[in-house]
Amino acid sequence: MFLRLQGIIAGYGGSQVLAGIDLGLGAGEAVALLGRNGMGKTTTVRTIFGLLRPTSGRIEVAGRDLTGAPPFVIARAGLGLVPEGRQIFPTLSVEENLVATARGPGPWDLAKVYALFPRLAERKRHGGSQLSGGEQQMLAIGRALMTNPRLLVLDEATEGLAPLIRSEIWDCLGRLRAEGLAILVIDKNIGALSRLVDRHVVIERGRLVWQGSSADLAAEPRVRERFLHV
Amino acid sequence: MRPLSSDRVMAGLLLLLLPMPAVFAALGEPFLTVVLTRALIFAIAALSLDLILGFGAMVSFGHAAYLGIGAYAAGILAANGITGLEWQVPVALAAAGVFALVTGAISLRTRGVHFIMITLAFGQMAYFLMSSLSAFGGDDGMTLAARSTLFGAEPFNGTLRFFYTTLALLAALWLGLRAVTRSRFGRVLAGTRENEIRMQAIGFSPFAYRLTAYALSGMIAALAGVLLANHAAFVSPSYMGWARSGEMIAMVVLGGMGTLTGPVLGALAFILSEEALARFTTHWRLPFGAAVVLAVLFTRGGLLGALKGRGRE
Amino acid sequence: MTPALSVRGLSKSFDALKVSDAITFDLAEGEIHAIIGPNGAGKTTLIHQLSGSLAPDAGRILLGGEDITRLSMAARARRGLARSFQITSILPGFTALENVALAVQARSGSSFRFLRPAASERALNEAAAAALAAAGLCGTEGRIAGTLSHGEKRQLEIAIALAMQPKVLLLDEPLAGTGHRESAALLQLIAGLKGRLSIVLIEHDMEAVFALADRISVLVYGRVIATGRPEAIRADAEVRAAYLGDEEES
Amino acid sequence: ESIKVGVVMTLSGSAAVLGEQGRDGFLLALEELGGRIGGLEAEVVVVDDELKPDVAVNRARELVESHKVDVVIGAMYSNVQMAITGPLTEAGVFVLSPNPGPSALAGAGCNPNFFAVSYQNDQPDEVVGAYVSDKAARVFLIAPNYQAGKDHLTGFKRTYTGEVAEELYVPLDQMDYSAELAQIAAAAPDAVYAFMPGGLGVNFVRQYRQAGLEAIPFYSTFTVDEVTLPAQKKDAVGFYSGGDWAPDLDTDKNRAFVAAFEAKYDRVPASYAAHAYDAAYLLDAAVTAVGGDLSDKDALRRALKAADFESVRGEFAFGPNHFPLQDFYVTQVAERPDGKFQTQIVEKVLEKPVDAYAAECPMK
Amino acid sequence: MTNLLILQGLNGLQFGILLFLVAAGLTLVFGVMDVINLAHGSQYMVGAYLAAAFAGLTGSFLLGLLCAVPLALAFGLILERLVIRRLYDRSHLDQVLVTFGLMLMLNEGVRLLWGSAPISVEMPEALSGSIPIWGNLRYPVYRLAILAAGLGVAAALWWAIHRTRMGMLLRAGASNRAMVSALGTDINRLFLLVFGAGAMLAGFAGAMMVPVVSAEPDMGDTVLILTFVVIVIGGIGSIRGAFVAALLVGLVDTLGRTFGPILLRSLMEPDAASQTGRTLAPMLIYILMAAILAVRPAGLFPVQR
Ligand SMILES: Nc1ncnc2c1ncn2[C@@H]1O[C@H](COP(=O)(O)OP(=O)(O)OP(=O)(O)O)[C@@H](O)[C@H]1O
Ligand SMILES: Nc1ncnc2c1ncn2[C@@H]1O[C@H](COP(=O)(O)OP(=O)(O)OP(=O)(O)O)[C@@H](O)[C@H]1O
Ligand SMILES: [Mg+2]
Ligand SMILES: [Mg+2]
């Protein structure tokens, strides 16, 4: 297992959001995290990255116990994050956003990212805050790729992207997967997810309530109905 | 224990303050009433600052200027034989209001630290102006010719009377500001603190609300200035310097901003601990500074926050 | 009949970048007019200019026949122009109910009232609660808005806009970030508004756009390259090449 | 039987140097008197006025109301003096000033319970003004931009008969005087007259030297004294000042005072210490004269007014406005054989002048 | 008159450069780390005292300077570890208050250690005296040295912030610490270094000034206010803005003080002119700041947020 969560309980202030999450993700595996609004998907991601300290439970990355480790240690263990709401650096130019936190070695460099998102190349000298919503989303993905992670975590990474770009990103994620990158992805586009991932995990009120393959999900309309309202 | 609300803390505080003069007298330290009165005057000033700082996110670093305006209004009128508060207060309020409207209209174009600094600039201008006017004693200040009167009565004559006048005024202003901050006006003010663009998008022009609050706050501070002039029987530009403004911010934040009760607590804690420490050592700034640092680092939401936290356990 | 909103030759540049290039269109009374286009085409910038947070370089904006090009954002809002923000914009320290109640307050009477507590004004609270419910946020009234989940915040944006009871509503990607059930509910909500008020809708969710819109304009590099009924746009080759691709999503 | 004495000095912040001198001068005398004043056990309360008038008023009122003091020695700065003198004297307390002698308390506003043991503020400047009149035809004046600065230059101009090249006021918190020094160089006056007290003087004098202006004679008051000399050192040697006292003033009492002060505190006393020291002996003499009876205020006032004590300054008497009648000197900075620096008397310039405001005082 | 103008121009520049040296540290810590540090002026004071103390011990100002700078750095690092680190996720006002407390402690601390009286240091022999710069116009060598040091620091800083990856990370961290950390950078160590560098710059400025102005308690307070004026006029976080604003403030203040009265005298009665001059002179830079902010509310070179 590259990433393993065991019995994670976490929350904000007084209110508990995650009520004991167990989740494992093998090297090169792609997993989708599903669930309705406010069920704790983002909270899970924040806990994985050490941005939120779990009140109990254990987080392992590549066999190392990293529970309570600061975010940068976890990231350096090979995790790349495309956060919810983009969170690009507004005071840096597009290119600086990509370069500032870049880490090697690995396949990703500026040229590759620009090839994936030509729109970013056009705007590379512009300030991050001047980008359109979709451009910021591209930048957030590019920035995470530039850290050359072994596991890429995408929290609603296609939100606000035009259909054409969106399908390009799904294609790209498919290629990355094929090259052996592990992926943990949150998205509402179940069709595209199903083509990408090995396994779906559904969260409901801070607990894992169902998991299975794309075929299982397709075969169980009740799960889709009950937990996802599709 | 039930969580302590800001209101209950304030009520408790007032109940605690009410018998203090008698307690001090019994302890054989009646002078402490005078010290406490001074702390109450600063509590009024801090209260006024909280309206714009805590509720409007306008951190004025020139608020001491209003204290000075009030003090000089009392001082200058008294020097000309006008001791009636019925004249002094309107003049103080008008002067402070005009100064606030003019400087506020300019300052409110800026935000955040820029607002802090532009209000500092206006405060310093007022300070240097009064320092250079020899007609009013310039830098040396002027002695208050006579204590203020109110339609012939003498609310500031005698330690006890002064104390209770100030306490009553503080309580009344606290109640008044509590109502204001919960009113429609107060909501809009707090809304502009939270997210100005959002407020504009639903149809409010924040400027008018901010300016109104700014002027109101300056006028209340001027009222505190009138009291301060009577308390010290002296008026000096040093009431208006930036250090004073900084201390007032410290009182508000230390006590817990945006709560009205907090600043009152903060002012009392600030003035009284300064007085207490100064009795032990001339190097009192060292322990005082340390206390401020520790108080902020280890409480959230100021002293009031700490009190509330205790009540919850 | 005068259109609810008409835009004439609106132009805006950031340095060398032309983000609005002589944009002209009409929003008929009661219609939903969708604006689609690639990322960075200038859709949000257009909304900024319509709502008054950005001044255009040239062109005019008419609301119900009245020229509002020079009016401030607040003045436009008071005349019945409401908007939602692409990047969530709420009052994070207020409760959800207070967020909406302020919007109600803005259209009902003066806010220079200093003494009566606003929290006890029943009219404000009732209207606000109704708007929250309409946006699918029952039960969140007392929660601090900043602690809502991303999707819930998106819904709150809609509730605030609705509470203003606008004549014209500008929606910038209202569905982005909402889950399936919520977006279905919102879709229904917006559909229900059709006819009662006029809506400019920006959305990348094509299903929603084709389901809701009476007319669609396609914006590319600041220019409207096509305007028409949904079927026509879907079939337009140029639009497919620039924006839609051949994606078929579930 | 005891006497309660309050000492109000600025003892915190950078302005504390003066206050410390005053406090130490007073405490030294008290120690010599065996802790008794006029035979009464002396209870002394020292308070810090923080150089804030409103704080000072509070502390002063506390001295009256809580400590029931009979006499206050203080303050060190004019603005504090103005703030505390009213409340104290109204409460029947006698105030002995070891330094400030503001004009407002010397003229029409003179006060029966207030005694300046120092001088009227303008007098040191008048002395230097008179002295410079036949030494330099064009003088450049400089002072900090506040009321006292203006008063001191006015004092100088009252007796100076030559031409004023320029009158410059600098902000109180300024530390770097390159611009002013350039102006002085450009004006090329025959002499400079400066009132730059405390830290201002330290920086001004050193930069004056660094700018190579020492060829232009430097006259001053409160700019080169024993408080600033430890920092100015050689840079101030040869610079002139004016006043009623210097460490080398040739009286028995003064020699004893300076020796005792240096032995106890390991620094050269300044006039602030000398005046506070005198104030203690003045008080001692007066209380002795009334036989320790503090209740008869009029008698005590008459006894203070008589000033029947041995001053470090030699002959000393009070005028009708309770300001001293004493001699004034021009002094000059010199390095002593032991490597310390002090001011030394050059010439007695005025003999027992009456200050400019005394005539307006209604007290007889 | 021209000579005086050139001389005062140089004086203004030199004053401005000094302000820049202090302001650079403040704007770094403020703009990059988003921490308002009121104790910054006290760090300037600490630098001055350290230099004075070690110059006194070793008998040489240059040795004193060499000791003071690393110690100022160490002092900054310790302060960051003990206090400032706890302020990163606090509001600006909490930061103001804590650093205000620190300022009180530091000012009182030096008074406890070194007394209230000013302490001075001899000008180093090699740098005393003046050299001709223009015709018969001479200028003190030491002040030229301050000018040169300031220009050097300005160039180095600009390069470090805008041209290095560390600079980018710093600017990124200022707007979103959590994100920088989640992308794999140890932001705490980075901030530690920045704060140390800021403290060192302030200490260096204090040490450089101590042969000119003596070390005394509270000497940092005036400088603090002036540097805040500078970074606000310049636009917070902008090194370039701080540089331009520092020179502007230096020139306006110096030239205004010298030539303002001359100007006023040509406009009105001498008495009125002198009174007006006395009233206006100390307000000058505040008027400058208010005017600039009234026209450009975010300063001259606002940093995009
Ligand atoms: N900072 C916070 N403070 C308090 N509560 C929070 C905070 N952030 C999120 N929550 C609450 O935690 C719960 C889970 O939120 P989370 O963001 O993990 O949901 P999510 O599954 O990612 O939803 P969405 O699809 O809307 O993004 C929600 O009820 C939310 O209101
Ligand atoms: N203040 C600004 N300065 C410079 N360029 C800007 C500014 N604001 C926006 N832009 C640019 O203008 C273009 C249009 O931006 P806009 O936000 O309107 O796009 P959009 O159509 O809403 O895109 P999306 O669908 O991704 O939200 C973008 O390329 C953006 O980078
Ligand atoms: Mg989420
Ligand atoms: Mg957009």
Side-chain angles (χ1 to χ4, degrees), chain A residues 36-37 160 164 166 188-189, chain C residues 39 179-181 204 243 249:
Chain A
R36 288 185 284 122
N37 283 149
L164 199 59
R166 214 184 301 161
K188 70 175 186 183
N189 190 336
Chain C
N39 296 119
H180 289 275
R181 185 171 68 158
H204 287 301
Y243 180 64
E249 288 185 359

Side-chain angles (χ1 to χ4, degrees), chain A residues 37-38 40-43 84 155-156 186, chain C residues 149-151:
Chain A
N37 283 149
K41 304 182 295 290
T42 300
T43 307
E84 183 176 80
D155 192 351
E156 315 230 7
I186 299 169
Chain C
S149 83
H150 185 59

Side-chain angles (χ1 to χ4, degrees), chain B residues 145-165:
Chain B
R147 287 268 166 92
S148 303
T149 57
L150 182 62
F151 299 113
E154 297 184 328
F156 301 130
N157 211 346
T159 306
L160 283 188
R161 209 183 287 177
F162 204 148
F163 175 82
Y164 285 110
T165 307

Side-chain angles (χ1 to χ4, degrees), chain E residues 44 47-52 61 64-65 68-69 142 202-211:
Chain E
Y44 165 85
Y49 267 98
L50 286 173
F61 168 69
L65 184 70
V69 171
Y142 191 75
F204 174 65
M208 281 298 278
M209 277 313 273
V210 83

Side-chain angles (χ1 to χ4, degrees), chain B residues 17 21 26 42 44 46 73 105 110 127 148 182 199 203 207 210 225 229 236 257 280:
Chain B
L17 287 169
F42 276 97
I44 294 178
T110 66
Y127 167 76
S148 303
R182 292 173 181 214
M199 291 301 283
F207 181 79
R210 285 168 178 264
S236 146
M257 61 180 190
F280 293 112

Side-chain angles (χ1 to χ4, degrees), chain D residues 167 169, chain E residues 261-262 264-278:
Chain D
E167 199 175 324
Y169 293 95
Chain E
I262 299 177
L264 281 175
R265 244 169 281 161
S266 66
L267 293 177
M268 50 175 104
E269 301 272 297
D271 256 4
S274 112
Q275 173 65 34
T276 323
R278 263 168 32 77

